[in-house]
Amino acid sequence: MKCPAEMIIYMHEYLDEEISAENEQELRVHLQSCKECQTHFHELRKTIALVQSTSHINVPSDFTAKVMAKLPKEKRKVGFQRWVRHHPLFTAASLFIVLMAGSLFSSWEQDHEFSVSKQPNLIVQNDTVIVPKGEVVKGDVTVKNGKIQIEGQVEGNVTVINGEKYLASAGQVTGEIKEVNAIFDWLWYHIKKTATEVVTIFDQEEPEAAK
Amino acid sequence: MEAIVKKRIKQVLKGDQDAYAEVVEIYGEKVFQICYRMLGNRHEAEDIAQEAFLRAYVNIHSFNINLKFSSWLYRIATNLCIDRIRKKKPDYYLDAEVAGTDGLTMYSQIASDTSLPEDDVESLELQETIQREISKLPEKYRTVIVLKYIEELSLNEISKILDLPLGTVKTRIHRGREALRNQLRHV
């Protein structure tokens, strides 16, 4: 028996799930009557089942690592950006330090004018501040960009920023004497000053809270 | 899935190499599978699958982000496989068939120290037969059969991956099926 040529085409259309209802009906009717086509159709389905039955081959476990190792090296910029993304705390902290240092640095740059804390009995000659002999200066004395010559007595701390101090043998300072010259000293001085101020604020607040 | 992949690809486009690892993780299995069925050999399959990911990475700028990444990747992989089949060098791999023998591989010439149970041997033999028949198909039929029955992709997708008209894909699948039927019907 010679089968219509389109039967094979219908079989494939059926397998691709693209057969029209009409053709499918025609195929079904034909398959019931034709042993040869039945076998052919069965073999096609078996073939597909066999191909699909091939077991899944597992990819080697180090596959991704091997691929990644083969990739061309990335630009450093991105590496840095990723680091920033993964360490937000470090990034914030270092940014803070940079900005702080920047602002202090600029204040250091600006502060090149001579200045001195105002106490009535201090004598100023050019860029030298003199604590006269026999005088008692009350309170802290701060000299910026100048020298201080202590011949008398200071009741408090003496701080010299970017300058020099001469302490005469008769001179006397009841508090501390500090000389700040290098930029890092300047930074440290600022930090300590801020800390001391903060502590002072707390010290002041406590008795108030006690009231 | 595609959404995650696209996000990672955008990161890769910005130069973040690590984002690509996830892409490889997602598609590694599939690409390896295609290569294995196309080439019929683990060693070569791994080689070509790695190469496919490497090519995709290097050419990621030419990928149209609005299209399906998997289709683009599979196209690279299948093209590489076809290239490899065409200029197949007479390399000797352990699991390559030994000439003049019927389905014997170098593995079978090495004394195995683990004896397999009967059933496993049988199913292993069947698996090998099927794979051998797939490997015997001309590459144009092999490609469509692998994409259709191993990767279970739609005809439309296959047509996109191979950049062939839908009609051509159908014809090739029909012929591929017929060729396999001839070989496998008595199994």
Side-chain angles (χ1 to χ4, degrees):
Chain A
M1 179 185 165
K2 185 79 187 116
C3 300
E6 64 268 23
M7 281 307 148
I8 301 289
I9 295 170
Y10 289 168
M11 285 181 206
H12 285 287
E13 282 180 354
Y14 178 85
L15 294 172
D16 288 340
E17 292 169 13
E18 296 207 319
I19 196 166
S20 65
E22 201 181 309
N23 291 350
E24 190 179 336
Q25 189 55 36
E26 210 178 312
L27 178 67
R28 280 180 195 283
V29 171
H30 178 78
L31 286 179
Q32 273 165 12
S33 62
C34 176
K35 192 86 188 139
E36 209 181 313
C37 283
Q38 230 179 65
T39 313
H40 190 118
F41 190 56
H42 173 73
E43 285 169 358
L44 278 175
R45 294 178 72 153
K46 183 179 154 192
T47 302
I48 292 168
L50 282 173
V51 171
Q52 285 178 325
S53 79
T54 53
S55 55
H56 192 81
I57 301 284
N58 285 328
V59 68
S61 54
D62 57 351
F63 183 78
T64 303
K66 279 186 183 169
V67 170
M68 294 310 286
K70 279 189 173 183
L71 298 186
K73 290 281 162 283
E74 68 180 353
K75 290 172 206 134
R76 287 194 64 158
K77 188 181 142 229
V78 178
F80 174 71
Q81 281 173 355
R82 188 171 49 236
W83 188 89
V84 164
R85 220 177 312 128
H86 289 176
H87 304 88
L89 199 67
F90 268 119
T91 309
S94 45
L95 194 69
F96 175 75
I97 288 169
V98 167
L99 291 179
M100 273 297 285
S103 70
L104 290 180
F105 197 78
S106 56
S107 68
W108 165 263
E109 291 286 309
Q110 283 163 8
D111 282 351
H112 274 284
E113 280 167 41
F114 170 72
S115 69
V116 64
S117 49
K118 289 182 184 99
Q119 268 101 347
N121 42 6
L122 285 176
I123 300 166
V124 179
Q125 278 176 358
N126 293 328
D127 62 345
T128 309
V129 180
I130 302 167
V131 180
K133 226 180 214 173
E135 294 274 353
V136 176
V137 176
K138 288 188 178 169
D140 297 348
V141 178
T142 307
V143 180
K144 278 185 191 172
N145 304 304
K147 297 169 194 159
I148 184 161
Q149 207 173 317
I150 304 162
E151 289 166 0
Q153 199 183 343
V154 178
E155 281 186 354
N157 300 330
V158 173
T159 309
V160 186
I161 297 161
N162 211 19
E164 289 168 76
K165 69 163 203 308
Y166 303 107
L167 185 60
S169 53
Q172 206 189 338
V173 178
T174 58
E176 282 178 89
I177 305 176
K178 277 178 280 184
E179 257 187 287
V180 180
N181 283 318
I183 185 109
F184 288 107
D185 285 344
W186 164 245
L187 281 177
W188 182 230
Y189 164 74
H190 248 281
I191 291 164
K192 273 210 292 197
K193 200 176 105 182
T194 315
T196 318
E197 273 167 16
V198 170
V199 171
T200 316
I201 287 167
F202 280 116
D203 283 347
Q204 283 172 349
E205 268 178 6
E206 265 174 81
E208 274 170 34
K211 274 175 201 170
Chain B
M1 179 76 100
E2 274 290 307
I4 300 171
V5 170
K6 293 220 161 131
K7 201 176 152 196
R8 294 290 167 263
I9 289 169
K10 279 176 190 155
Q11 286 174 311
V12 174
L13 281 168
K14 283 182 196 151
D16 186 354
Q17 197 166 67
D18 283 10
Y20 196 61
E22 206 172 322
V23 178
V24 180
E25 203 62 53
I26 291 169
Y27 292 111
E29 202 86 34
K30 302 229 171 211
V31 170
F32 180 69
Q33 215 63 220
I34 293 178
C35 295
Y36 180 75
R37 295 300 167 194
M38 288 289 285
L39 302 164
N41 161 320
R42 282 190 74 96
H43 183 99
E44 272 189 295
E46 199 187 341
D47 216 29
I48 296 293
Q50 283 181 13
E51 178 69 18
F53 279 108
L54 190 60
R55 294 263 178 118
Y57 179 82
V58 173
N59 296 302
I60 198 85
H61 294 274
S62 67
F63 168 65
N64 180 346
I65 201 89
N66 300 314
L67 300 180
K68 214 171 166 185
F69 179 73
S70 60
S71 300
W72 187 72
L73 181 65
Y74 295 166
R75 176 191 288 197
I76 295 173
T78 49
N79 283 341
L80 284 171
C81 286
I82 291 169
D83 280 354
R84 174 58 71 98
I85 294 164
R86 282 183 188 158
K87 55 179 175 199
K88 206 161 187 156
K89 287 169 272 165
D91 280 343
Y92 293 105
Y93 296 113
L94 278 176
D95 46 359
E97 213 176 297
V98 177
T101 60
D102 190 28
L104 277 180
T105 65
M106 289 287 209
Y107 277 129
S108 46
Q109 300 196 331
I110 300 168
S112 86
D113 43 18
T114 54
S115 57
L116 292 163
E118 277 302 293
D119 290 352
D120 283 2
V121 174
E122 238 170 71
S123 93
L124 217 79
E125 275 172 7
L126 178 61
Q127 297 271 327
E128 279 173 13
T129 311
I130 297 164
Q131 180 56 48
R132 196 165 53 243
E133 293 309 331
I134 295 174
S135 299
K136 275 186 194 163
L137 286 176
E139 85 235 2
K140 58 181 178 179
Y141 302 150
R142 205 189 307 176
T143 317
V144 290
I145 292 287
V146 167
L147 293 178
K148 169 90 181 150
Y149 290 112
I150 305 291
E151 289 300 321
E152 296 176 327
L153 299 175
S154 71
L155 295 179
N156 262 317
E157 221 171 326
I158 297 173
S159 137
K160 270 183 212 143
I161 291 170
L162 300 176
D163 199 19
L164 288 171
L166 192 59
T168 311
V169 173
K170 282 185 197 168
T171 314
R172 287 187 181 181
I173 286 184
H174 297 180
R175 294 203 179 137
R177 271 197 297 244
E178 286 296 339
L180 279 178
R181 180 189 73 95
N182 270 325
Q183 299 302 319
L184 293 173
R185 62 178 159 176
H186 299 305
V187 170

